[in-house]
Amino acid sequence: MYKQRLFAPGPTPVPEETLLELARPMFHHRTGEYRKMLETLTGNMQYILQTHQEVYTITGSGSAAMEAAVANLVAKGETMIAVRGGKFGERWSELGHAFGANVVDLDVEWGDAITADQIANALQANPGTVAVFIQHCETSTGTACDVQAIAKAVAQTDACLVVDGITGVGALPFAMDEWGVDVTVVGSQKALMLPAGLAFIACSDKAWAKMDATTPPAYYVDLKAYRKSLAKWDNPWTPANSLVRAALASTNQIRAEGLETVWAETRRRAEATRAAARVLGLELLSSSPSDSVTALHVPEGVDGAALPKTMAEAFGTRIAGGQAHLKGKIIRFSHMGYLDAFDVLAAVAALEMALGRLGATVDYGAGVAAAQKVLAKE
Ligand SMILES: *Cc1c(COP(=O)(O)O)cnc(C)c1O
Protein backbone atom coordinates (compact mmCIF):
# COMPACT_ATOMS: atom_id res chain seq x y z
CA MET A 1 0.00 0.00 0.00
CA TYR A 2 1.23 3.46 -0.88
CA LYS A 3 0.01 6.84 0.27
CA GLN A 4 -1.62 8.66 -2.61
CA ARG A 5 0.48 11.71 -3.46
CA LEU A 6 -0.64 14.36 -5.91
CA PHE A 7 1.93 16.06 -8.13
CA ALA A 8 -0.28 16.70 -11.15
CA PRO A 9 -0.92 20.37 -11.93
CA GLY A 10 -4.38 20.18 -10.47
CA PRO A 11 -6.00 19.08 -8.33
CA THR A 12 -3.22 19.61 -5.80
CA PRO A 13 -3.12 18.42 -2.17
CA VAL A 14 -5.48 20.21 0.24
CA PRO A 15 -4.27 21.12 3.76
CA GLU A 16 -5.87 19.34 6.75
CA GLU A 17 -7.44 22.53 8.15
CA THR A 18 -9.18 23.06 4.83
CA LEU A 19 -10.40 19.46 4.67
CA LEU A 20 -11.89 19.87 8.15
CA GLU A 21 -13.82 22.94 6.98
CA LEU A 22 -15.24 20.82 4.15
CA ALA A 23 -16.52 18.29 6.68
CA ARG A 24 -18.61 20.82 8.61
CA PRO A 25 -22.43 20.89 8.41
CA MET A 26 -24.12 22.73 5.58
CA PHE A 27 -25.20 26.28 6.33
CA HIS A 28 -27.32 28.85 4.53
CA HIS A 29 -25.75 31.36 2.14
CA ARG A 30 -28.16 34.32 2.41
CA THR A 31 -26.90 35.04 5.91
CA GLY A 32 -24.61 37.45 7.69
CA GLU A 33 -22.32 34.50 8.41
CA TYR A 34 -21.81 33.81 4.70
CA ARG A 35 -21.48 37.49 3.77
CA LYS A 36 -18.70 37.88 6.33
CA MET A 37 -16.93 34.86 4.82
CA LEU A 38 -17.17 36.24 1.29
CA GLU A 39 -15.91 39.63 2.47
CA THR A 40 -12.86 38.04 4.10
CA LEU A 41 -12.23 35.74 1.13
CA THR A 42 -12.44 38.69 -1.25
CA GLY A 43 -9.83 40.51 0.83
CA ASN A 44 -7.59 37.45 0.83
CA MET A 45 -7.90 37.13 -2.95
CA GLN A 46 -7.10 40.83 -3.39
CA TYR A 47 -3.91 40.19 -1.45
CA ILE A 48 -3.05 37.08 -3.48
CA LEU A 49 -3.70 38.89 -6.79
CA GLN A 50 -2.07 42.06 -5.43
CA THR A 51 -4.97 44.23 -6.49
CA HIS A 52 -7.29 46.85 -5.07
CA GLN A 53 -9.98 45.84 -7.54
CA GLU A 54 -12.86 43.64 -6.47
CA VAL A 55 -12.29 39.92 -6.95
CA TYR A 56 -15.43 38.00 -7.95
CA THR A 57 -15.97 34.42 -6.87
CA ILE A 58 -17.68 32.26 -9.49
CA THR A 59 -18.88 28.70 -8.91
CA GLY A 60 -17.18 26.61 -11.57
CA SER A 61 -13.72 25.41 -12.52
CA GLY A 62 -11.08 27.84 -13.78
CA SER A 63 -12.55 27.79 -17.27
CA ALA A 64 -15.69 29.52 -15.93
CA ALA A 65 -13.60 32.60 -15.17
CA MET A 66 -11.92 32.31 -18.58
CA GLU A 67 -15.35 32.27 -20.19
CA ALA A 68 -16.39 35.28 -18.10
CA ALA A 69 -13.35 37.22 -19.33
CA VAL A 70 -14.05 36.56 -23.01
CA ALA A 71 -17.84 36.96 -22.83
CA ASN A 72 -17.71 40.26 -20.93
CA LEU A 73 -14.78 41.88 -22.67
CA VAL A 74 -15.04 40.95 -26.35
CA ALA A 75 -18.23 41.70 -28.26
CA LYS A 76 -19.24 39.70 -31.32
CA GLY A 77 -17.08 40.64 -34.30
CA GLU A 78 -14.46 42.46 -32.26
CA THR A 79 -10.82 41.46 -32.59
CA MET A 80 -8.96 39.59 -29.86
CA ILE A 81 -5.49 38.09 -29.84
CA ALA A 82 -5.08 34.63 -28.32
CA VAL A 83 -1.56 33.45 -27.61
CA ARG A 84 -1.42 29.74 -28.41
CA GLY A 85 1.60 28.02 -26.93
CA GLY A 86 -0.24 25.03 -25.53
CA LYS A 87 -3.52 23.49 -24.51
CA PHE A 88 -4.71 26.41 -22.41
CA GLY A 89 -3.82 29.03 -24.98
CA GLU A 90 -5.98 27.06 -27.40
CA ARG A 91 -8.80 27.41 -24.89
CA TRP A 92 -8.66 31.23 -25.19
CA SER A 93 -8.93 30.89 -28.93
CA GLU A 94 -11.81 28.41 -28.74
CA LEU A 95 -13.69 30.65 -26.28
CA GLY A 96 -13.27 33.59 -28.65
CA HIS A 97 -14.74 31.57 -31.50
CA ALA A 98 -17.61 30.40 -29.28
CA PHE A 99 -18.60 34.03 -28.66
CA GLY A 100 -18.19 35.13 -32.27
CA ALA A 101 -15.03 37.17 -31.83
CA ASN A 102 -12.61 37.82 -34.65
CA VAL A 103 -9.81 35.69 -33.18
CA VAL A 104 -6.21 36.34 -34.17
CA ASP A 105 -4.15 33.33 -33.11
CA LEU A 106 -0.61 34.16 -32.11
CA ASP A 107 1.11 30.79 -32.25
CA VAL A 108 4.32 30.04 -30.44
CA GLU A 109 6.20 26.76 -30.35
CA TRP A 110 4.92 24.64 -27.45
CA GLY A 111 7.53 25.14 -24.72
CA ASP A 112 8.54 28.65 -25.79
CA ALA A 113 7.34 31.80 -24.05
CA ILE A 114 5.59 34.62 -25.86
CA THR A 115 7.54 37.89 -25.65
CA ALA A 116 6.41 41.49 -25.19
CA ASP A 117 7.86 42.31 -28.64
CA GLN A 118 5.79 39.63 -30.34
CA ILE A 119 2.67 40.96 -28.63
CA ALA A 120 3.49 44.56 -29.55
CA ASN A 121 3.97 43.52 -33.20
CA ALA A 122 0.69 41.60 -33.23
CA LEU A 123 -1.13 44.61 -31.79
CA GLN A 124 0.40 46.83 -34.44
CA ALA A 125 -0.64 44.41 -37.18
CA ASN A 126 -4.19 44.20 -35.81
CA PRO A 127 -5.40 47.69 -35.00
CA GLY A 128 -8.68 47.76 -33.11
CA THR A 129 -7.80 44.70 -31.04
CA VAL A 130 -9.82 44.94 -27.83
CA ALA A 131 -7.99 42.34 -25.76
CA VAL A 132 -4.92 40.11 -25.63
CA PHE A 133 -5.26 36.76 -23.87
CA ILE A 134 -2.25 34.98 -22.38
CA GLN A 135 -1.29 32.36 -19.81
CA HIS A 136 1.11 33.40 -17.06
CA CYS A 137 2.13 29.76 -16.96
CA GLU A 138 1.08 27.52 -19.86
CA THR A 139 0.48 24.41 -17.77
CA SER A 140 0.59 21.98 -20.68
CA THR A 141 4.25 22.82 -21.32
CA GLY A 142 5.45 24.21 -17.96
CA THR A 143 6.31 27.54 -19.57
CA ALA A 144 6.16 30.96 -17.90
CA CYS A 145 6.21 34.29 -19.73
CA ASP A 146 7.16 37.80 -18.62
CA VAL A 147 3.72 39.17 -17.77
CA GLN A 148 5.11 42.46 -16.49
CA ALA A 149 6.84 43.28 -19.79
CA ILE A 150 3.81 42.17 -21.79
CA ALA A 151 1.48 44.31 -19.67
CA LYS A 152 3.70 47.30 -20.33
CA ALA A 153 3.46 46.75 -24.08
CA VAL A 154 -0.32 46.25 -24.05
CA ALA A 155 -0.84 49.31 -21.82
CA GLN A 156 0.43 51.50 -24.67
CA THR A 157 -2.64 50.55 -26.71
CA ASP A 158 -6.41 50.58 -26.17
CA ALA A 159 -6.39 46.81 -25.74
CA CYS A 160 -6.81 45.07 -22.39
CA LEU A 161 -4.45 42.35 -21.19
CA VAL A 162 -6.18 39.25 -19.84
CA VAL A 163 -3.99 36.86 -17.87
CA ASP A 164 -4.91 33.26 -17.15
CA GLY A 165 -3.12 33.02 -13.81
CA ILE A 166 -4.49 29.62 -12.92
CA THR A 167 -1.04 28.08 -12.42
CA GLY A 168 0.61 31.45 -11.85
CA VAL A 169 -1.24 33.33 -9.12
CA GLY A 170 -0.19 32.05 -5.70
CA ALA A 171 2.85 30.29 -7.17
CA LEU A 172 4.82 32.81 -9.25
CA PRO A 173 5.52 36.46 -8.37
CA PHE A 174 2.54 38.45 -9.65
CA ALA A 175 1.25 41.97 -8.98
CA MET A 176 -1.90 42.78 -10.93
CA ASP A 177 -2.14 46.52 -10.20
CA GLU A 178 1.56 47.33 -10.22
CA TRP A 179 2.12 45.47 -13.48
CA GLY A 180 -1.00 46.91 -15.12
CA VAL A 181 -2.80 43.65 -15.84
CA ASP A 182 -6.42 44.34 -16.87
CA VAL A 183 -8.10 41.03 -16.12
CA THR A 184 -6.78 38.15 -14.01
CA VAL A 185 -8.45 34.77 -13.76
CA VAL A 186 -7.68 32.05 -11.21
CA GLY A 187 -9.08 28.61 -10.37
CA SER A 188 -9.21 26.97 -6.96
CA GLN A 189 -7.58 23.58 -7.49
CA LYS A 190 -3.99 24.60 -8.24
CA ALA A 191 -1.89 26.99 -6.15
CA LEU A 192 -4.83 27.91 -3.90
CA MET A 193 -4.82 24.44 -2.30
CA LEU A 194 -8.54 23.75 -2.75
CA PRO A 195 -10.74 21.27 -4.53
CA ALA A 196 -11.96 22.30 -7.99
CA GLY A 197 -15.16 24.34 -8.03
CA LEU A 198 -14.31 28.00 -7.51
CA ALA A 199 -13.03 30.48 -10.07
CA PHE A 200 -11.95 34.05 -9.42
CA ILE A 201 -11.74 37.09 -11.64
CA ALA A 202 -10.65 40.69 -11.14
CA CYS A 203 -10.80 43.57 -13.65
CA SER A 204 -9.00 46.91 -13.96
CA ASP A 205 -10.74 50.27 -14.48
CA LYS A 206 -9.74 50.05 -18.15
CA ALA A 207 -11.43 46.66 -18.49
CA TRP A 208 -14.52 47.89 -16.63
CA ALA A 209 -14.81 50.90 -18.94
CA LYS A 210 -14.90 48.51 -21.90
CA MET A 211 -17.32 46.10 -20.23
CA ASP A 212 -19.67 48.83 -19.03
CA ALA A 213 -20.20 49.95 -22.61
CA THR A 214 -21.73 46.61 -23.70
CA THR A 215 -24.19 43.94 -22.65
CA PRO A 216 -22.45 40.56 -22.67
CA PRO A 217 -23.96 37.53 -24.43
CA ALA A 218 -23.88 35.76 -21.08
CA TYR A 219 -26.06 35.30 -18.03
CA TYR A 220 -24.34 33.10 -15.42
CA VAL A 221 -20.96 34.79 -15.91
CA ASP A 222 -22.25 38.35 -16.49
CA LEU A 223 -19.74 40.22 -14.33
CA LYS A 224 -22.10 43.14 -13.79
CA ALA A 225 -24.31 40.78 -11.79
CA TYR A 226 -21.32 39.78 -9.67
CA ARG A 227 -20.36 43.40 -9.11
CA LYS A 228 -23.89 44.27 -8.04
CA SER A 229 -24.06 41.36 -5.60
CA LEU A 230 -20.62 41.91 -4.15
CA ALA A 231 -21.71 45.37 -3.02
CA LYS A 232 -23.73 43.39 -0.43
CA TRP A 233 -20.98 40.72 -0.02
CA ASP A 234 -23.18 38.33 -1.90
CA ASN A 235 -23.14 36.17 -5.06
CA PRO A 236 -25.76 36.47 -7.78
CA TRP A 237 -26.58 32.73 -7.82
CA THR A 238 -26.37 30.04 -5.15
CA PRO A 239 -22.66 30.01 -4.29
CA ALA A 240 -20.68 26.88 -3.42
CA ASN A 241 -20.70 28.14 0.15
CA SER A 242 -18.91 25.14 1.62
CA LEU A 243 -16.06 25.73 -0.85
CA VAL A 244 -16.03 29.41 0.09
CA ARG A 245 -15.61 28.42 3.73
CA ALA A 246 -12.82 26.03 2.74
CA ALA A 247 -11.23 28.75 0.61
CA LEU A 248 -11.02 30.95 3.67
CA ALA A 249 -8.89 28.35 5.44
CA SER A 250 -6.49 27.89 2.51
CA THR A 251 -6.15 31.59 1.70
CA ASN A 252 -5.73 32.47 5.39
CA GLN A 253 -2.83 30.03 5.36
CA ILE A 254 -1.28 31.77 2.33
CA ARG A 255 -1.70 35.14 4.06
CA ALA A 256 -0.15 33.86 7.28
CA GLU A 257 2.82 32.43 5.43
CA GLY A 258 3.18 35.50 3.20
CA LEU A 259 3.13 35.55 -0.59
CA GLU A 260 6.87 36.14 -0.91
CA THR A 261 7.55 33.02 1.14
CA VAL A 262 5.04 30.99 -0.85
CA TRP A 263 6.66 32.13 -4.11
CA ALA A 264 10.18 31.38 -2.83
CA GLU A 265 9.24 27.91 -1.61
CA THR A 266 7.50 27.06 -4.87
CA ARG A 267 10.62 28.16 -6.69
CA ARG A 268 12.86 26.05 -4.49
CA ARG A 269 10.76 22.94 -5.14
CA ALA A 270 11.04 23.62 -8.88
CA GLU A 271 14.79 24.11 -8.64
CA ALA A 272 15.19 20.86 -6.70
CA THR A 273 13.13 18.97 -9.29
CA ARG A 274 15.11 20.49 -12.16
CA ALA A 275 18.40 19.59 -10.42
CA ALA A 276 17.21 15.99 -10.06
CA ALA A 277 16.11 15.86 -13.69
CA ARG A 278 19.53 17.11 -14.83
CA VAL A 279 21.46 14.29 -13.14
CA LEU A 280 18.89 11.71 -14.23
CA GLY A 281 19.25 12.88 -17.83
CA LEU A 282 15.65 14.08 -18.29
CA GLU A 283 15.61 17.26 -20.36
CA LEU A 284 13.33 20.21 -19.78
CA LEU A 285 10.69 20.77 -22.44
CA SER A 286 10.50 24.50 -21.89
CA SER A 287 12.99 27.15 -22.89
CA SER A 288 11.39 29.34 -20.21
CA PRO A 289 10.56 26.91 -17.41
CA SER A 290 7.89 27.88 -14.92
CA ASP A 291 8.49 27.43 -11.20
CA SER A 292 4.93 26.18 -10.77
CA VAL A 293 5.05 23.20 -13.15
CA THR A 294 8.02 21.29 -14.57
CA ALA A 295 7.65 19.46 -17.89
CA LEU A 296 10.37 16.93 -18.73
CA HIS A 297 11.05 14.87 -21.83
CA VAL A 298 10.67 11.16 -21.27
CA PRO A 299 14.12 9.63 -21.84
CA GLU A 300 14.84 7.67 -25.00
CA GLY A 301 13.86 4.01 -24.72
CA VAL A 302 11.29 4.53 -21.94
CA ASP A 303 7.58 4.09 -22.65
CA GLY A 304 6.23 7.61 -22.15
CA ALA A 305 2.67 6.54 -21.44
CA ALA A 306 3.79 3.85 -18.99
CA LEU A 307 5.94 6.20 -16.89
CA PRO A 308 3.20 8.27 -15.21
CA LYS A 309 1.03 5.14 -15.07
CA THR A 310 3.74 3.19 -13.23
CA MET A 311 4.39 6.07 -10.85
CA ALA A 312 0.69 6.18 -9.99
CA GLU A 313 -0.16 2.50 -9.93
CA ALA A 314 3.01 1.04 -8.48
CA PHE A 315 4.05 3.92 -6.22
CA GLY A 316 0.93 5.99 -5.49
CA THR A 317 2.54 9.05 -7.03
CA ARG A 318 0.26 10.95 -9.40
CA ILE A 319 2.05 13.15 -11.92
CA ALA A 320 0.72 14.25 -15.32
CA GLY A 321 1.73 13.18 -18.78
CA GLY A 322 1.64 15.29 -21.91
CA GLN A 323 -1.40 16.55 -23.80
CA ALA A 324 -2.12 16.62 -27.54
CA HIS A 325 1.05 15.98 -29.60
CA LEU A 326 3.10 15.75 -26.38
CA LYS A 327 1.11 12.75 -25.17
CA GLY A 328 3.53 9.98 -24.19
CA LYS A 329 6.47 12.32 -24.76
CA ILE A 330 6.65 14.37 -21.55
CA ILE A 331 5.88 14.14 -17.84
CA ARG A 332 4.81 17.06 -15.66
CA PHE A 333 5.28 17.77 -11.95
CA SER A 334 3.41 20.45 -10.02
CA HIS A 335 5.28 22.47 -7.38
CA MET A 336 2.21 24.40 -6.25
CA GLY A 337 0.52 24.65 -2.91
CA TYR A 338 0.53 22.25 -0.02
CA LEU A 339 3.82 20.46 -0.70
CA ASP A 340 7.03 20.38 1.27
CA ALA A 341 10.64 19.42 0.64
CA PHE A 342 9.97 15.79 1.55
CA ASP A 343 7.13 15.58 -0.93
CA VAL A 344 9.59 16.66 -3.63
CA LEU A 345 12.07 13.98 -2.56
CA ALA A 346 9.29 11.38 -2.62
CA ALA A 347 8.33 12.41 -6.15
CA VAL A 348 11.92 12.21 -7.36
CA ALA A 349 12.41 8.82 -5.66
CA ALA A 350 9.23 7.50 -7.26
CA LEU A 351 10.44 8.77 -10.64
CA GLU A 352 13.73 6.92 -10.23
CA MET A 353 11.95 3.72 -9.18
CA ALA A 354 9.46 3.88 -12.03
CA LEU A 355 12.25 4.51 -14.55
CA GLY A 356 14.02 1.46 -13.15
CA ARG A 357 10.91 -0.69 -13.47
CA LEU A 358 10.54 0.39 -17.09
CA GLY A 359 14.04 -0.78 -17.94
CA ALA A 360 16.05 2.43 -17.79
CA THR A 361 19.51 2.36 -16.23
CA VAL A 362 19.07 4.34 -13.04
CA ASP A 363 21.68 5.44 -10.55
CA TYR A 364 19.28 5.13 -7.61
CA GLY A 365 19.43 8.10 -5.28
CA ALA A 366 21.30 10.37 -7.69
CA GLY A 367 18.23 12.49 -8.42
CA VAL A 368 17.20 12.47 -4.77
CA ALA A 369 20.67 13.64 -3.73
CA ALA A 370 20.66 16.44 -6.29
CA ALA A 371 17.27 17.59 -5.01
CA GLN A 372 18.42 17.34 -1.39
CA LYS A 373 21.37 19.62 -2.12
CA VAL A 374 18.93 22.32 -3.26
CA LEU A 375 16.41 21.72 -0.48
CA ALA A 376 18.97 21.58 2.34
CA LYS A 377 20.18 25.15 1.71
CA GLU A 378 18.96 27.72 4.23
C1 LIG B 1 -6.07 24.12 -14.89
C2 LIG B 1 -5.97 25.27 -15.81
C3 LIG B 1 -7.10 25.91 -16.33
C4 LIG B 1 -8.50 25.61 -15.91
O1 LIG B 1 -8.98 24.42 -16.24
P1 LIG B 1 -10.27 23.89 -15.49
O2 LIG B 1 -10.24 22.46 -15.84
O3 LIG B 1 -11.43 24.61 -16.01
O4 LIG B 1 -10.07 24.17 -14.03
C5 LIG B 1 -6.92 26.99 -17.16
N1 LIG B 1 -5.71 27.45 -17.47
C6 LIG B 1 -4.60 26.88 -16.98
C7 LIG B 1 -3.29 27.47 -17.35
C8 LIG B 1 -4.69 25.78 -16.14
O5 LIG B 1 -3.58 25.21 -15.64
Side-chain angles (χ1 to χ4, degrees):
M1 209 272 280
Y2 285 89
K3 287 188 188 172
Q4 297 299 306
R5 298 171 200 266
L6 289 175
F7 297 98
T12 65
V14 175
E16 287 84 354
E17 296 92 294
T18 306
L19 293 174
L20 288 172
E21 290 301 317
L22 287 164
R24 292 176 61 175
M26 193 40 63
F27 62 109
H28 201 269
H29 57 287
R30 304 293 182 206
T31 57
E33 183 193 10
Y34 176 74
R35 282 193 284 274
K36 185 79 208 132
M37 281 181 195
L38 188 63
E39 181 181 354
T40 309
L41 176 61
T42 304
N44 286 358
M45 290 308 299
Q46 287 175 312
Y47 166 71
I48 293 169
L49 267 65
Q50 294 284 288
T51 185
H52 290 97
Q53 300 290 346
E54 291 181 332
V55 181
Y56 305 106
T57 300
I58 300 172
T59 303
S61 74
S63 300
M66 294 175 76
E67 180 151 336
V70 174
N72 285 270
L73 204 56
V74 188
K76 198 169 173 176
E78 285 184 335
T79 302
M80 61 171 266
I81 294 172
V83 173
R84 292 197 308 183
K87 206 68 203 154
F88 293 101
E90 287 179 351
R91 190 164 301 176
W92 281 136
S93 176
E94 288 160 11
L95 277 163
H97 285 290
F99 286 97
N102 172 36
V103 181
V104 175
D105 291 319
L106 190 49
D107 288 327
V108 290
E109 196 70 46
W110 285 36
D112 286 346
I114 188 78
T115 65
D117 280 348
Q118 285 171 295
I119 301 254
N121 290 341
L123 281 166
Q124 206 154 45
N126 296 281
T129 297
V130 298
V132 177
F133 293 80
I134 65 169
Q135 267 66 38
H136 189 173
C137 167
E138 174 49 79
T139 314
S140 60
T141 65
T143 300
C145 66
D146 186 347
V147 175
Q148 192 172 7
I150 291 167
K152 216 168 162 183
V154 177
Q156 279 154 27
T157 70
D158 290 334
C160 287
L161 176 66
V162 181
V163 177
D164 169 355
I166 296 178
T167 49
V169 169
L172 310 176
F174 180 79
M176 178 168 173
D177 291 358
E178 192 193 318
W179 291 2
V181 171
D182 293 301
V183 177
T184 308
V185 304
V186 195
S188 55
Q189 78 273 29
K190 316 270 171 98
L192 300 181
M193 312 187 286
L194 288 162
L198 293 181
F200 303 93
I201 185 165
C203 310
S204 70
D205 293 339
K206 184 178 175 184
W208 268 118
K210 170 73 175 77
M211 296 191 296
D212 275 329
T214 50
T215 303
Y219 185 85
Y220 193 84
V221 295
D222 179 353
L223 291 178
K224 291 185 192 101
Y226 286 84
R227 180 173 61 185
K228 195 167 162 220
S229 292
L230 201 72
K232 298 170 287 169
W233 299 118
D234 216 339
N235 298 89
W237 333 119
T238 306
N241 57 345
S242 46
L243 281 177
V244 167
R245 176 152 65 193
L248 267 184
S250 285
T251 56
N252 282 341
Q253 198 167 316
I254 291 170
R255 274 199 106 139
E257 205 164 335
L259 265 182
E260 306 261 335
T261 305
V262 170
W263 295 337
E265 288 185 351
T266 307
R267 182 188 187 117
R268 193 205 283 260
R269 293 192 286 268
E271 282 173 351
T273 305
R274 293 193 291 255
R278 242 181 334 266
V279 304
L280 293 171
L282 274 67
E283 277 170 36
L284 281 167
L285 168 74
S286 180
S287 57
S288 174
S290 173
D291 288 331
S292 55
V293 182
T294 295
L296 300 168
H297 284 287
V298 173
E300 205 71 51
V302 173
D303 181 340
L307 185 53
K309 197 162 181 275
T310 304
M311 287 180 71
E313 288 174 7
F315 302 114
T317 303
R318 177 69 60 180
I319 61 163
Q323 295 163 285
H325 68 272
L326 293 175
K327 211 176 172 124
K329 301 219 162 65
I330 61 164
I331 52 173
R332 294 176 296 144
F333 293 80
S334 161
H335 312 301
M336 296 175 281
Y338 187 53
L339 296 172
D340 72 5
F342 295 98
D343 291 319
V344 176
L345 296 177
V348 172
L351 171 63
E352 291 181 351
M353 289 154 81
L355 284 169
R357 282 247 181 130
L358 293 171
T361 312
V362 183
D363 179 10
Y364 282 114
V368 173
Q372 278 179 308
K373 276 185 200 133
V374 174
L375 297 166
K377 275 189 222 136
E378 258 191 76

